Amino acid sequence: MKDRIYKIIELTGTSKTSIEDAVGKALKRAHQTLKHLSWFQVVETRGSIEAGKVDVWQVTLKVGFALEEPA
């Protein structure tokens, strides 16, 4: 078995509900088009404010996935 090579991308998920929901939405969407998702790291959390309350959570993630071996 060869050593794996990983690629890292950056995504930003959003949610009106929670930080966890924003992370989950970003990973769910990435899973639709990327293979071999392995790990994530939250690198930034921010949000927008409406009427003195959190309106939308925004969470930026680094997501790692293994590259497929060449044929």
Side-chain angles (χ1 to χ4, degrees):
M1 181 172 142
K2 294 183 179 182
D3 293 331
R4 289 191 168 188
I5 304 299
Y6 293 89
K7 180 166 180 67
I8 299 171
I9 61 169
E10 198 166 89
L11 303 171
T12 299
T14 63
S15 172
K16 286 189 165 275
T17 307
S18 67
I19 293 168
E20 292 84 359
D21 189 46
V23 169
K25 286 179 178 179
L27 294 175
K28 182 178 180 180
R29 178 61 182 88
H31 178 71
Q32 293 175 356
T33 56
L34 298 171
K35 296 179 183 178
H36 314 298
L37 296 176
S38 298
W39 56 269
F40 73 92
Q41 174 186 3
V42 174
V43 295
E44 185 174 26
T45 305
R46 60 187 175 279
S48 61
I49 303 167
E50 184 70 37
K53 296 182 181 179
V54 174
D55 183 42
V56 176
W57 290 101
Q58 298 173 336
V59 181
T60 300
L61 314 167
K62 288 186 179 181
V63 179
F65 58 96
L67 296 178
E68 292 183 346
E69 289 294 322

